[in-house]
């Protein structure tokens, strides 16, 4: 993807009556990233969008502020991100990464908009208002987090995972561009591809399955069986990457 295209994904996001985001509105865009997106960050910086980074594994656009949080536990880290979002009056979150980055953005968006503790939202539809809008730029093919109404957060204290199902966490914009997926190593390609296969099989076996859902789920199974081995064997296979993104 060219630098211009990446910047336009952010600049064309509509933030209310004013239409496309202005430079000042972009200064209130908060981003949660995955591990291997340094190049994407540099692209944004070259386009004049101010990006500050912290050692806690996320970055955000901020004109005059820099909020640092290096808390060990993920639940505390998400609380720190939510506090930074509120402090910046961010109007849009940009999640750059795989399922973990997108789920982190969902959790922080809900917490920033609703307050309280992350644990308060474990279960179904516990939030009162929609979370801060999220634009998810996917770097893997398989988790499906960019199009689902739930998110999972690991709680290392209880050694369990918190499962939240909430329509208020839905992503507003989902970007699936293989340029962001080409650098996935074989192991991650295989793991996320098997995740996609599992989702497709679950859809077929679901009690709520119908001819309409079977059509898409069975098609996905066929494509994954055909193209996942190719994507694992050759990460530069654009056709295989594209078909895995569709699946």
């Amino acid at each position: 993807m060219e630098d211009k295209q990446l910047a336009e994904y952010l600049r064309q996001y509509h933030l209310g009556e004013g239409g496309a985001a202005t430079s000042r509105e972009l200064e209130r865009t908060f981003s949660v990233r995955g591990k291997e997106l340094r190049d994407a960050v540099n692209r944004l910086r070259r386009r004049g969008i101010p990006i500050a980074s912290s050692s806690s594994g996320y970055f955000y656009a901020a004109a005059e502020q820099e909020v640092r949080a290096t808390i060990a536990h993920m639940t505390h880290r998400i609380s720190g991100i939510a506090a930074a979002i509120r402090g910046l009056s961010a109007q849009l979150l940009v999640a750059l990464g795989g399922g973990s980055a997108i789920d982190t953005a969902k959790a922080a968006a809900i917490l920033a908009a609703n307050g309280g503790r992350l644990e308060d939202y474990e279960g179904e539809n516990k939030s009162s208002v929609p979370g801060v809008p999220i634009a998810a730029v996917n770097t893997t093919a398989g988790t499906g987090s960019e199009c689902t109404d739930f998110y999972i957060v690991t709680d290392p204290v209880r050694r369990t995972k918190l499962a939240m199902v909430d329509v208020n966490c839905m992503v507003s914009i989902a970007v699936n561009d293989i340029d962001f997926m080409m650098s996935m190593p074989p192991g991650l390609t295989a793991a996320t591809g098997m995740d996609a296969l599992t989702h497709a099989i679950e859809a077929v076996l679901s009690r709520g399955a119908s001819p309409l859902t079977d059509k898409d789920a069975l098609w996905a199974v066929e494509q994954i069986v055909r193209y996942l081995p190719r994507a694992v064997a050759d990460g530069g296979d654009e056709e295989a990457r594209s078909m895995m993104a569709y699946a």
Side-chain angles (χ1 to χ4, degrees):
M1 172 174 288
E2 296 180 359
D3 297 346
K4 184 184 297 184
Q5 289 177 290
L6 180 60
E8 288 303 308
Y9 280 139
L10 300 183
R11 295 190 184 280
Q12 290 180 2
Y13 184 76
H14 288 259
L15 301 174
E17 297 179 358
T22 64
S23 296
R24 186 159 186 80
E25 286 170 329
L26 280 171
E27 291 173 356
R28 298 196 298 276
T29 298
F30 189 106
S31 296
V32 180
R33 66 169 172 83
K35 291 181 178 179
E36 297 188 6
L37 291 158
R38 186 172 300 173
D39 288 345
V41 178
N42 290 334
R43 291 176 187 173
L44 291 174
R45 284 173 172 158
R46 287 197 296 269
R47 298 299 299 174
I49 299 174
I51 301 291
S53 61
S54 82
S55 58
S56 62
Y58 60 86
F59 62 86
Y60 54 88
E64 299 176 352
Q65 302 184 59
E66 183 172 348
V67 182
R68 296 186 179 274
T70 55
I71 304 171
H73 298 322
M74 178 56 77
T75 51
H76 290 173
R77 181 177 296 173
I78 290 173
S79 297
I81 295 174
I85 293 169
R86 289 193 294 268
L88 293 167
S89 298
Q91 296 176 319
L92 172 69
L93 279 68
V94 181
L96 298 169
S100 296
I102 297 172
D103 278 6
T104 299
K106 288 180 175 180
I110 290 293
L111 200 58
N114 290 269
R117 303 177 308 153
L118 183 61
E119 298 90 327
D120 297 338
Y121 303 101
E122 185 176 12
E124 294 187 34
N125 296 317
K126 295 295 183 68
S127 67
S128 300
V129 299
V132 177
I134 300 171
V137 182
N138 223 346
T139 61
T140 65
T143 70
S145 182
E146 76 278 11
C147 59
T148 61
D149 62 351
F150 60 86
Y151 53 99
I152 306 293
V153 177
T154 299
D155 183 347
V157 175
R158 293 191 290 171
R159 295 185 178 182
T160 187
K161 290 189 175 183
L162 306 179
M164 291 81 158
V165 181
D166 196 334
V167 294
N168 285 331
C169 79
M170 291 290 289
V171 166
S172 300
I173 296 176
V175 177
N176 284 291
D177 189 316
I178 64 167
D179 280 359
F180 289 104
M181 303 175 187
M182 301 297 284
S183 63
M184 269 197 294
L188 183 59
T189 299
T192 55
M194 292 304 295
D195 196 2
L197 180 61
T198 300
H199 291 321
I201 294 173
E202 286 175 339
V204 174
L205 299 178
S206 170
R207 292 180 179 179
S210 70
L212 287 176
T213 60
D214 283 349
K215 172 178 61 67
D216 290 336
L218 291 172
W219 180 88
V221 170
E222 291 176 359
Q223 305 315 307
I224 293 167
V225 169
R226 179 178 179 182
Y227 289 103
L228 180 56
R230 283 176 49 178
V232 172
D234 179 8
D237 186 331
E238 293 188 2
E239 181 184 21
R241 289 293 193 193
S242 294
M243 295 311 296
M244 284 304 301
Y246 281 119

